[in-house]
Amino acid sequence: MTAPDATSSAGAPAASWRDSLAVYLQPRVLIVLFLGFSSGLPLALSGSTLLVWMREAGVDLGTIGLFALVGTPYTLKFLWAPLVDALHVPLFTRAFGRRRGWLLFSQLLLIIAILLLALTDPARSPFYVALGALLVATTSSTQDIVVDAFRVESLPESEQAAGMASYVAAYRIGMLVSTAGALFIVSGFEGTGIARQSAWMWGYVVMAAMVLIGTVTALVATEPEQSIRAEDALADYEPNPKKRWVRLLLRLINWILPRGLLETRIARAAVSAFVDFLDRKDALTALAFVVLFKFTDAFSGTMTAPFVIDLGFSRNDYAAIVKGVGLAATLIGGFAGGFVARRYSLATSLWIGGVVQALANLSFSWLAFVGTSQWALAFAITAENFTSAIGTVIFVAYLSALCRNPLHTATQYALLTALAAVGRTYLSSGAGFVADTTGWALFFVICVLVAIPSLVLLAWLQKRGHFETLGPVRV
């Protein structure tokens, strides 16, 4: 998934509450809101919802853990982001424009991918399930790239904050629909006498139809005017790094790439953004911190659905408590994270977010001893989602602060969010084997301990004055 952020300058005049409310009703902001729903919808269909389907089908925990790898496209999407930015889609681009053409094309592919996944059977063919999930993740991450670019280019400065806030809220609602909503739909189909496997298939068919909300939005929207201006600015940009090793890296890239390739806009966008980021102080340490900060969440989150099912909770319990109560806790935690980020410095805020999101995993260890108590499950889910949202808001503020060059904001943000997904996709892929070996109570204690490397890097960056170079950050 690509998470957004809103920034504001320190000296901006305060708007009245009427103006603050009215901006959310602007047509451009509403377009971004519905696109946020379309972006949030597919993530769980190749993630937590799919894991529930697989566990009910009898797939072992080790295999379920490995399915975290199907999120690879969310990690590697920065590799084809320049392609999406530069190439035209035949017929679509001519009829709808560069951004809207890609939006409609990616949504069409996404619908097809979800329908293909609906036709698979986890009990009989886990390979085809993995292939279908990989297609969903690939088309979904491509849609994220386009939506991010469309959002940045279509909204004026006065509407950026409202647009991003709307996008985040709608993204969460889209995830709720594809988790709790999908599970309730599957249960409803089962209630009519349909076999479980067929119920899951029709549940995914309904989710594919939900993508049409984004398709209609793209048809109603207008092509951003900033697209051509940004394209011209990037065409004239020449990277000139200060660090010697970065200059050597740029020469190596020039030597490796075929002659004339760097003259293309695709290569220019990718190389310039990459070189520009590496040229800053402590860039490699910052990248390692980006990878590890949310790892504690990713490691535990991969096993949350199987854990709840194994404790004996029903599918509806999971939908209502884990996703329903969890969404409320996430939204409240988002406001709390914003308060923390405004009240304290960025470094201090990251310390608060990093510590609380790690310690919240102990609530699941406690739940493992309590057993099938709905109140205990609600408490554990509330604690985890509330603290995770605090960490996420602060982390997104940090990612946005790292993207300082307006020529490369989209590409660098895609790179950073892709790196942030490494923990969820690769480092957490062995979580199922760890849980199978240690048991649930000890597993979630280990989830707390895996946060330590990120906190060590945070201390190092703070000591090196890294956060002072980023300037003031407002969420």
Side-chain angles (χ1 to χ4, degrees), residues 386-403:
F386 178 78
T387 57
S388 176
I390 292 176
T392 297
V393 168
I394 297 168
F395 184 54
V396 167
Y398 173 65
L399 294 183
S400 299
L402 290 175
C403 301

Side-chain angles (χ1 to χ4, degrees), residues 105-455:
F105 180 64
S106 63
Q107 289 163 354
L108 175 62
L109 294 180
L110 179 59
I111 292 173
I112 295 174
I114 296 174
L115 291 176
L116 290 176
L117 181 57
L119 297 175
T120 62
D121 185 348
R124 296 182 179 181
S125 53
F127 171 79
Y128 290 109
V129 175
L131 182 60
L134 186 62
L135 290 174
V136 171
T138 301
T139 53
S140 173
S141 58
T142 302
Q143 179 188 225
D144 288 346
I145 294 171
V146 188
V147 170
D148 283 338
F150 183 91
R151 171 171 47 82
V152 172
E153 295 174 358
S154 64
L155 295 177
E157 187 65 29
S158 60
E159 297 176 6
Q160 283 286 344
M164 293 175 182
S166 299
Y167 179 88
V168 172
Y171 191 100
R172 290 289 183 178
I173 293 173
M175 290 183 63
L176 178 65
V177 169
S178 62
T179 48
L183 296 180
F184 279 126
I185 289 172
V186 172
S187 296
F189 279 124
E190 274 193 304
T192 64
I194 297 177
R196 174 173 293 178
Q197 171 60 25
S198 296
W200 276 105
M201 180 194 72
W202 285 110
Y204 268 68
V205 169
V206 173
M207 292 298 104
M210 289 284 186
V211 179
L212 292 175
I213 293 176
T215 303
V216 173
T217 303
L219 290 172
V220 173
T222 56
E223 185 72 7
E225 296 180 0
Q226 295 185 21
S227 180
I228 297 177
R229 292 197 296 269
E231 193 171 357
D232 293 340
L234 183 59
D236 297 331
Y237 179 78
E238 289 291 344
N240 186 26
K242 299 177 181 178
K243 290 183 178 180
R244 181 179 179 184
W245 75 271
V246 179
R247 291 199 301 269
L248 293 175
L249 177 63
L250 182 58
R251 292 177 184 174
L252 179 62
I253 293 174
N254 277 302
W255 180 73
I256 293 176
L257 293 179
R259 181 180 297 273
L261 182 58
L262 277 180
E263 298 304 318
T264 65
R265 186 179 188 278
I266 298 173
R268 184 186 297 272
V271 173
S272 298
F274 185 65
V275 170
D276 178 77
F277 188 92
L278 291 180
D279 200 37
R280 66 187 65 188
K281 181 182 178 183
D282 298 316
L284 297 180
T285 306
L287 291 178
F289 177 70
V290 168
V291 171
L292 294 176
F293 183 75
K294 296 297 290 182
F295 179 39
T296 180
D297 272 356
F299 201 71
S300 61
T302 301
M303 289 291 106
T304 299
F307 167 61
V308 172
I309 297 300
D310 277 5
L311 282 186
F313 291 98
S314 68
R315 187 193 304 132
N316 287 347
D317 288 334
Y318 178 85
I321 298 177
V322 176
K323 297 305 177 181
V325 175
L327 175 65
T330 296
L331 295 178
I332 297 172
F335 284 108
F339 171 80
V340 170
R342 289 184 177 91
R343 178 67 176 81
Y344 302 101
S345 67
L346 181 57
T348 302
S349 299
L350 285 168
W351 274 107
I352 295 173
V355 170
V356 298
Q357 69 181 7
L359 292 179
N361 288 307
L362 295 178
S363 63
F364 286 118
S365 294
W366 169 73
L367 178 61
F369 288 108
V370 173
T372 53
S373 166
Q374 293 185 340
W375 287 106
L377 176 61
F379 172 80
I381 291 300
T382 299
E384 195 276 334
N385 281 265
F386 178 78
T387 57
S388 176
I390 292 176
T392 297
V393 168
I394 297 168
F395 184 54
V396 167
Y398 173 65
L399 294 183
S400 299
L402 290 175
C403 301
R404 295 176 297 178
N405 190 332
L407 288 178
H408 309 307
T409 300
T411 304
Q412 288 180 350
Y413 202 89
L415 172 63
L416 292 175
T417 53
L419 287 174
V422 167
R424 181 180 72 239
T425 304
Y426 296 109
L427 301 182
S428 62
S429 62
F433 295 106
V434 176
D436 207 21
T437 302
T438 63
W440 290 117
L442 182 56
F443 169 75
F444 288 107
V445 173
I446 294 174
C447 291
V448 177
L449 299 179
V450 300
I452 294 177
S454 69
L455 298 179

